[in-house]
């Protein structure tokens, strides 16, 4: 397992984020917004500058996080084409960054999750997307049609494309209200398809808190991931701020200083805690 953090949980300054990640022993930055620019709006020069800053600090690009399929279910050909264009362009951007994947969602749900209905729409959207260039991973998203591992597996089964992996975010499952205890049972249902893990700690559906102070047993989760041979990234998505709570809008559109403000100190604390948890697993001889 490798440790990363989503860059804008630390700073909009990519150099400051990379320097802090390197200082605290992390190996990668997952890219979202930087320099006040959302990921899907960065031009090639900005993407190149981000890549060079990350690699210049001896880090790897751990993933690319555009808001792909993070929208209402498309109903018309024009809406489908618009969503498809964002995915195709995200693959191009991720390729320029050297990212190992593009994160996608399963559309915002209307009422109860409908992963199979979302998959039917996604099948049209993903038609002709160049999967062979950069893989796609589907996140267990808090407000989407796949808030839990079980929903995500339903989505993938209906989609019928084994090239997609899962980005497991148990914090989203708790915060969604659809699974207050996503470990170990929900995890076990799809562990073989997990390609990436987001780390954050919810206090029920109220807010996110400092890592270790919330509802998820992260030391046990890390130990199980190691025992199961997980070799991917553990990527911190703090969502905790000292002195303020992120709004629903900021969680839905997590980019820019309005989102990042106060994240540096909070995320640095959580990075130290995550490093200690991972080191404890290593010390016990579980993590390879």
């Amino acid at each position: 397992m490798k440790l990363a953090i989503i860059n804008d949980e630390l700073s909009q300054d990519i150099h400051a984020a990379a320097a802090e990640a390197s200082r605290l022993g992390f190996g990668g930055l997952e890219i979202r917004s930087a320099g006040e620019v959302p990921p899907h709006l960065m031009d090639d020069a900005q993407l190149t500058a981000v890549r060079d800053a990350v690699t210049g600090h001896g880090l790897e690009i751990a993933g690319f996080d555009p808001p792909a399929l993070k929208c209402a279910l498309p109903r018309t050909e024009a809406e489908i084409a618009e969503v498809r264009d964002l995915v195709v362009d995200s693959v191009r951007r991720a390729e320029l960054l050297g990212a190992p994947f593009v994160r996608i969602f399963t559309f915002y749900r209307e009422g109860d999750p409908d992963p199979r209905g979302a998959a039917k729409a996604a099948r049209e959207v993903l038609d002709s997307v160049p999967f062979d260039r950069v893989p796609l991973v589907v996140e267990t998203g808090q407000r989407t049609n796949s808030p839990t591992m079980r929903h995500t597996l339903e989505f993938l089964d209906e989609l019928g494309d084994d090239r997609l992996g899962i980005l497991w975010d148990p914090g989203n499952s708790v915060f969604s209200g659809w699974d207050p205890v996503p470990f170990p049972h929900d995890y076990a249902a799809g562990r073989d398809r997990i390609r990436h893990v987001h780390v954050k700690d919810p206090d029920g559906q109220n807010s996110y808190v400092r890592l270790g102070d919330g509802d998820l047993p992260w030391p046990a989760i890390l130990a199980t991931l190691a025992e199961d041979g997980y070799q991917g990234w553990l990527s911190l998505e703090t969502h905790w701020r000292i002195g303020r709570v992120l709004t629903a809008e900021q969680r839905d559109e997590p980019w820019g200083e309005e989102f990042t403000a106060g994240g540096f100190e909070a995320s640095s604390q959580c990075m130290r805690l995550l490093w200690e948890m991972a080191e404890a697993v290593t010390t016990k001889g579980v993590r390879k």
Side-chain angles (χ1 to χ4, degrees):
M1 294 184 291
K2 303 173 289 185
L3 301 184
I5 182 170
I6 300 178
N7 68 288
D8 58 7
E9 295 283 356
L10 273 168
S11 177
Q12 286 293 311
D13 181 335
I14 193 67
H15 287 281
E20 183 70 353
S22 178
R23 186 180 74 84
L24 293 177
F26 278 46
L29 282 187
E30 187 173 340
I31 304 305
R32 200 158 54 197
S33 64
E36 296 288 320
V37 183
H40 57 301
L41 299 181
M42 293 183 192
D43 61 30
D44 286 4
Q46 290 167 324
L47 290 164
T48 299
V50 166
R51 181 196 66 201
D52 291 349
V54 173
T55 58
H57 283 85
L59 305 177
E60 297 179 48
I61 302 287
F64 182 55
D65 295 347
L69 279 67
K70 194 177 187 182
C71 59
L73 205 70
R75 304 292 185 185
T76 67
E77 287 298 324
E79 290 173 346
I80 290 169
E82 182 178 2
V83 179
R84 182 188 299 122
D85 287 347
L86 175 56
V87 180
V88 171
D89 190 56
S90 295
V91 169
R92 184 192 67 80
R93 292 167 186 270
E95 196 171 29
L96 178 58
L97 278 170
F101 66 79
V102 171
R103 183 273 312 275
I104 68 170
F105 290 96
T106 56
F107 307 110
Y108 285 136
R109 64 179 179 268
E110 301 173 2
D112 290 352
D114 180 13
R116 295 193 179 277
K120 292 173 182 177
R123 190 179 298 119
E124 293 188 73
V125 167
L126 299 179
D127 180 50
S128 76
V129 170
F131 285 75
D132 56 324
R133 287 165 52 186
V134 180
L136 305 182
V137 294
V138 180
E139 179 163 344
T140 52
Q142 182 241 326
R143 287 216 299 123
T144 72
N145 285 289
S146 59
T148 72
M149 180 75 81
R150 295 186 299 278
H151 291 115
T152 307
L153 290 170
E154 282 189 56
F155 173 86
L156 292 173
D157 287 346
E158 179 67 32
L159 190 64
D161 194 322
D162 291 337
R163 293 176 296 178
L164 277 75
I166 293 174
L167 192 165
W168 186 50
D169 188 327
N172 282 343
S173 299
V174 175
F175 206 84
S176 73
W178 282 92
D179 193 342
V181 187
F183 178 83
H185 300 296
D186 202 48
Y187 160 78
R191 60 187 175 190
D192 293 339
R193 300 195 69 169
I194 294 174
R195 300 292 177 268
H196 193 75
V197 177
H198 276 174
V199 179
K200 55 182 183 276
D201 217 348
D203 174 18
Q205 295 178 267
N206 299 313
S207 64
Y208 288 96
V209 295
R210 187 177 65 172
L211 189 65
D213 291 348
D215 296 330
L216 289 169
W218 278 109
I221 292 172
L222 266 57
T224 300
L225 284 166
E227 290 167 359
D228 289 343
Y230 177 69
Q231 297 295 315
W233 292 98
L234 297 168
S235 191
L236 185 65
E237 187 184 22
T238 322
H239 270 27
W240 170 57
R241 302 291 183 266
I242 298 172
R244 73 183 184 100
V245 175
L246 295 176
T247 66
E249 182 178 1
Q250 288 164 349
R251 293 193 306 269
D252 283 347
E253 298 183 356
W255 39 75
E257 188 58 36
E258 185 177 351
F259 167 78
T260 300
F264 194 91
E265 182 181 352
S267 293
S268 295
Q269 286 188 32
C270 292
M271 290 170 76
R272 293 186 186 94
L273 291 165
L274 180 56
W275 191 93
E276 290 170 1
M277 291 177 190
E279 184 66 14
V281 171
T282 303
T283 302
K284 291 177 182 178
V286 178
R287 196 178 74 171
K288 305 296 184 183

